[in-house]
Structure formats: C-alpha cells, structure tokens
Amino acid sequence: MAEEYYQKKIDSIIKNFNTDPESGLSSEELKKKKEEHGPNKLRESEGVSFWKILLNQLKDLIIIILIIAAALAFLIGDTLEGYAILAVIVFNTIIGFVTEYQAQKAVASLKNVLSKKAMVIREGKKKEIEAVDLVPGDIIFIEEGDQIPADARLIDSNNLTINEASLTGESESVAKEAEAEFDSEKTLAERNNMIYMGTTAARGKGKAVVTATAEDTEIGKIGAMLDETKEGKTPLEKRLERLGKSLIKITLVVIAVLTVLGIVMGRPVYDTVKTGIALAIAAVPEGLPIIATVTLAIGMKKMVEHQALVRELLAVETLGSVTTICTDKTGTITENQMTLRKIYLNDHLIEISGTGYQPEGDFLLEDEKIEPGAEASLELTLKAALLCTSAELTKEDGDYKVLGEATEGALLTAGRKANFSKESLKEEGYQRLAEIPFNSDYMYMAVSYALPDGREHLYLKGSPDVVLEMCDSIMINGEKEELTEAKIDEIQAKNKKLGEEGLRILGVAYQEGNNLDSEEKLQTEIESSLTFLALTAIIDPPRESVKEAIKETKKAGIKTKMITGDQMDTAAAIAREVGIAGSDNVISGQQISKASASELRELIKNNSVFSRVTPENKLQIIEALNEENEVTAMTGDGVNDAPALKKADIGVSMGKRGTSVAREASDMVLLDDDFATIVTAVREGRVIFDNIQKFIYFLFSNNLSKIIYIFLGIIFNLPLPLLAMQILWINVVIDVFPALSLAWEKEEDNIMEREATTERNIMDKAFKKKVGLHSLILAAGPMLLYLWALNGSYSLEISRTLSFSSLAFIQLFHVFNARRKSGLAFDKTVLENHYLWLAVGVGIVFQLGAIYLAPLQNILSTVAIPAELWLPTAAAIILPMLIIQLINVFAGR
C-alpha cells in the first residue's frame, strides 16, 4: 500500500480505517472490509512437485539427443540398440529423480507456519479469533510470546520489544513505542511505532490498529517480489547446454560427411546409412547423463556430511564456480549468541574469552588470567549484572539456550564463567525483593535483593549515559570514590570507543539500602545516589571458523560481501574482525536505493560491507553482480532474504534458524548455519567440476577415437571395423563404470588456490586439443592391429573381434590417463580410489565375457580370440597408453 503509516498520526489512522481504539470495528464495517480485503492469508507454496522434478530430468539436451538416436535405431530396424539407449535414458532419469525428490522432501519437512490466532476487540468485546479473519482497522492486543498476525500501528505499548529477525535478519529485539513519530523516511528496522506480520513479541504488551493484511503486509510484499524473481540457469546447465549443441553439430556433420563419402566410394546405401547411425551412436556419450547425475548425487551426499543440504543436483557443481559470496552477518558470520566480551572497571579493560552461551572462558587482564572471585569490584559487577536480568539460561540436548533477551543471556553466561548463577546465589541466600522492568523511556532496569548477611542491595543496568547520571560515586579496587567530572569524561570516552568497535554497552551500578521491597522504594533509592561499577561490552561475536574460511576464499579468488540489516558500526566492526576486504567503508541501504544504475554497479563492485539493507536492496545487489557476470552465492535466513536467495546463482539458507520461505527459495540449506560450511561446499563444488571435466575428457576422447577409427576404416576402404552394437557396448558397458569411478577422485593439489572465474568452459581450446590428440593415439593402436589381422590369414570375424576388444580395453585403461589433468597417472594417490580399480576389474570381466560367452557373442557378433593373438593385442593397448603418459608428463612441466 502507498501509505507510510509509521509517519502518520494515530488519530488520522484510526479515522482512515473507520475504527475505534476502545470498541474496535462495528459489524457493518467488518463485513465491508472482509469483502474488500479478503482473508488475511499469504499464498501457499506449491511444495514438492513430482512431475516438475521428473520433467527436469528429461529436458536435458543430451537426453533429447539420446531419444533421437533411439528413434533412428528403431527406424532402421536395430531394435536392440534402440532399447539399449532407452534403458540408459530411463536409468538416468530414475537416479536424478530419486536424488532430487529426497532432497526436496528433506527441505519441505522443515516448514513452519505463521500465527493462527489473534486477540482483538470488536463491537466493544475482546475475543480471540482466527488470524485469517483479521482485516485492516481491527484493534489487536499483543503480549509476550505472541506472533504478530498482521502489520499494525501501535496505539499503546508497555515495555514492548519485538524480535524482527524474520524480516530484518537481526536477532536482537527492537524496543517499540506507540508514541514515536517520524517525519522522514525510515528503514523497516527503524520504524519502532510499527509491528509486522511474522515477527514475535519478546517482552511486554501492546495494542495496535491493523494497517495491512495478507499480500499488503511487508511479508506479503516480499512474497510477491519472490514470485516475480526469475531464476537463471546454473553455470553447469549453460556448459552442458553448449556441450549438447556441440554434440548435435558434430553428430550431424560426421553423419553427413561419412554418408556422402561412403556413397561416393560406392558403398551400398543401406550399409552407408547404418554406418552413419553407428557413427551417431559413437558420437553421443550415452553414459554422460548417468555419470553427470551420479557424480552430482555423490557430491550432494558428501555435502550433507559437511552440514550442507543441497536441494538440486546442478547446484552442487555451481558452488565450485562461485566468484562472489554475499553473506548475512547474524548467525552466519556470527554465532547469533550475544557474548560479554569486555568489562571496563578499576580503570582497566578486562577481556573475556569464549563465545556464545556456552559458559566456558577465562577473564584476562593485560593477557594474564585472573580469578573473578579474587577481585571484589569484578565479582560485584558480575553478580549485579546477572541478578539484574529477567532471562533464563537453560541447557537442552547439550546446547545452552536463552529464554528471554539475548543481551541478558550474555550477562548470565559471563556469570557462569565466574561460577556465579542465579540458582547458585539463591541457594546461598540471595532473595529477590522488587523489580523495575526495563522501559525504553528511561533506558534501565533495576532489582533489589536481600543478601545472606542481612544487607539489601539495589542492582541497576542500562544505557551508560543514563546510569552515569544516577551515580555520584564509583567503585575502584573495592573502595568507593567520588565520581568526578574527569572520571565521567574518561568513562564516556571509553564508552564511545567500545561503541565504535560495534559493541553494545551497558552501564552497571549498585547501592546499599534498606526496605527495598517495592518498586516505589526502588525508585526512591535510584533518585538518591548510586555507585558506578563498570561498563559491560556485549557483541554477537564471529564464529571461530569464519576468519580462516574468509582467508581461504581470498586465496581462491572469491570475493566476500557482507549484507546486513544491522547498524553501520556493528557491521564494520565484525567485517574488520573477520578480515572482509573493504570493511572500512560501509554502504547503507538508503545509498543503494538512491543510486543510479551505473552508480549502483560501482558501489557494489568497490565495497564489501552493506548495512541497514531492505529486501529490495539485497535483490539490487545480486542483480548488479549478475550483470557483471559474477557467479553469486547469497546467504540468508529471513523472509526478507527470499527474493535475493532465489535470484542468486546459489541461494544458501539457514537450517537451524531460517524461515521456511527462505529455505524454499534457496538451493542449499546450511544445517549448522556456519559460513565456513559454504567454503567447504565451494571446495567440494570445485572437486566436482574437476571430476566432471575428467569424465567428460574420458568419454569424449573415447567417443572421438571411435569416430576416427570408423572414419579411417572408410578412408582405407576396409570392412566396417566396429558394428553399431559393439559401439553401444563400449559406450554403455565398458566406458560408464570407469567414468563413474572418477566421481570419487580426490581433489587435485591447490584446488582452492585457483583463481575463481566465470569463464570455466568444460571444453576450452586446450581441452579440445588434448581430446583430439589423445583420441587419434587411442584409435591408432587398434587400427594397426585390425590392418595387421586383415592382411594376415585371419578371418573378418576374428579381425573385427580383435579390433573391438583392443579398442574396448584401451578405452577401459584410458581412465588412468583421465584421473589427473597432467603428470603421471600412476602417482602415489592411484590406490586411494578403490572404485576405479573395481570399475577396471568389472570392465575386464565384461569384455572377456563379450569375447568368450556364447550369448554375448551372438549379440555382439564376436568370436573367441586365440591365445597367440593376445600378445599383439596387448601391444596395441599398451603402446598408446605409454605415449599419452609421456605427453602428459611433458605437458605438466
């Protein structure tokens, strides 16, 4: 909707919706609004589509070529070849479908739902209704723990804070104030007089008038943006498409040239057409779709072991092509667990090790470990801070969690690191007397306790400036001293410096008193004078694994850009700490919104940290990077991230804290929400690309060698050296298993030190030259053997069997040439891939069966090879292998 309700006066909004803050909507007005706005329900996702996943397996260009090849085989009466090709298509489709369908189901099982109930007042009666029945103008009531059922403008608020992580991505709750008014543009995270559908009340109460429902809510607008966002093809899809087109051209040219050549040389037309079909079968690597699918499925399985659930097969390889990672901050780079990092007291800065809510860590003063219980001021500060909280720290399944405010969780955890807790202090005799809850108006919280020795203490925490105003003394080394102006200036300077480091600062104070058993008495004590204890500096710290992961991305030539809804100072501080390049200059969402197209490209190209961004800004960043031909990975967990996740080449959502909308828009789900897992996935993606290139080299050089082989037979006017069924046997039975074994090849040295590039073609010029030369060498040995046999005293059946067998064996052993891009194939890692040796063993058994077993002899038109002919056959196999190995060794130098 066009109205910006956060800028409007409450009275005008009430009037605009024809409602009443005390009695709500009338039945007549309610009926009218229901007809106008419909149900308060977002469009539901389609879920897992059986037919869509199935059709995705069949639309591959190489599969289409195979279907055409099968049709041609049936057309000329070679039904056996036709059925064999169809079997390949069916097998590939089943593998791809099962793998992808299971991944989609795994993601679908993670779904959540929006709020189902809402408390409203209508015609003067307060009642609970289904959230779907809400309309604009309804007066709703919010209490702690409620999920917000619609967008609404606050009429009244009492200590209300809202967790807006689903919309902004930031886990820290936002204080809301009904009285707040704005006369200028504000980002969604700064509109603290509004509450939004899908967010949650963390604390307090509120009353609000609904301003938008269903598709008109902020979450609904994001859904519409998501529908409009089109997914592009993955790099592998583009490469395989180019590969398919090249195959079509090669196949058509080969068939045309050799058919014409055969007719010119006087061969019978029928035999010439059959030869053309045989060449078409030779040109198409029937095993390629199966091997590509299985290789990607293996990669998918490996990534799950590394805590990355990949939803679509093609996305597995795309990760290896990534040139830019756009990452959220909270929970991906950081722990999403607030941590007390530093305490400023006694004119010194004490650092606390450890991250998150796990109560493990040390207290360090000038890098020397100290015992909190041995330092009076530190002990008192920690006790005051943890007792002045409403949150609870719990342990579930080995993990610590906070019930309540994350900031208070940091204080509770720090206390436990010093062996203090609410529970242990209560057992010692500490008894809570009264409390002043935190309120955004006065920016502090206070509690009073009766101590075991009979004294009473007041503990207070809040905004440092507010706390300092309440104090007239300061605790130094266990002794109270006057809080002078000079000391105040010193504390404020330290507060400012810590704030510039992205830390959230709280002041802590205390006072001894009497009869502090009510909020009124607490207030009186506060108005007298307190003793300042310390500044506590809290932050959501980076994960320990992130620094090393970002170093690795830099080595790999991958740029990392941090995109967050958080404030500039916090974003810059975290970026600096983890080593993101260009972290000194932070670009705001407003700058992005106001930039022209050319300015936007420059901003995004030259900067790495973006704060206070909107969903539109995130989408703009991804689109600008894609226009620069970057291959992008985008991480996110909220509904606000969904459009950018969908638009990126690889959308990466969070498995632990991500919304179902974000997961459905993504290609990969991080099961541990850790940035380092993305880098692991990129490494695995690069290994997969290498292995895909290896088996494509293996298949293409083998297939081209068959084409060259048949071509030479026609040129020399020889009887056809290979029959169509023999070609299909080599393509499907002999070549597939060795090619498949390459999917398990270990990574090459320095795989993450290669420069990331968007121009990684599977068949570049060097690749084509290598395939061409090696194919000629592979064909030469069997051709010489065939010529030798024909010119000797051997029959055509034996000569053709020698031809077929030598080519089959040489192509089987060619897998060793394929396992390394250069250098010796038989290096120290050759025994590590057990599947390779198994594939070679199986291939040998199958080929010997093709020669000596009667049923296969009938199908393949072979005869038994006499023992004395195995020596020249071995020579025809070994010599070409040695030549290729020598070429590889010299090429690797």
Side-chain angles (χ1 to χ4, degrees), residues 41-59:
K41 185 179 180 183
L42 299 179
R43 277 174 288 184
E44 294 180 359
S45 63
E46 295 176 6
V48 180
S49 169
F50 177 95
W51 294 108
K52 185 178 178 182
I53 296 172
L54 183 62
L55 289 172
N56 276 343
Q57 311 308 313
L58 295 172
K59 68 181 184 181

Side-chain angles (χ1 to χ4, degrees), residues 678-742:
I678 304 171
V679 181
T680 302
V682 168
R683 173 191 291 273
E684 191 59 44
R686 289 190 172 195
V687 173
I688 289 164
F689 178 81
D690 271 8
N691 290 346
I692 286 173
Q693 199 168 41
K694 285 172 185 177
F695 73 64
I696 287 176
Y697 156 77
F698 174 74
L699 292 176
F700 274 53
S701 51
N702 279 353
N703 282 22
L704 184 57
S705 70
K706 295 185 197 80
I707 293 171
I708 292 171
Y709 195 49
I710 293 170
F711 182 77
L712 290 172
I714 293 172
I715 292 294
F716 296 147
N717 204 20
L718 301 172
L720 198 62
L722 287 174
L723 302 177
M725 198 61 200
Q726 292 174 343
I727 293 170
L728 197 60
W729 171 269
I730 296 174
N731 279 6
V732 176
V733 178
I734 300 301
D735 288 353
V736 166
F737 293 111
L740 191 56
S741 73
L742 293 170

Side-chain angles (χ1 to χ4, degrees), residues 115 140-150 154 156-166 171-176 194-207 403-405:
S115 176
I140 59 173
F141 297 87
I142 303 300
E143 293 189 353
E144 184 174 320
D146 286 351
Q147 198 165 28
I148 310 304
L154 285 167
D156 186 35
S157 60
N158 181 12
N159 198 28
L160 181 65
T161 63
I162 302 288
N163 186 322
E164 297 182 333
S166 62
S171 58
E172 195 170 339
S173 299
V174 179
K176 296 292 182 175
M194 296 286 297
I195 55 178
Y196 295 100
M197 177 189 268
T199 61
T200 307
R203 182 174 61 195
K205 298 179 179 180
K207 180 180 177 183
L403 303 176
E405 290 287 343

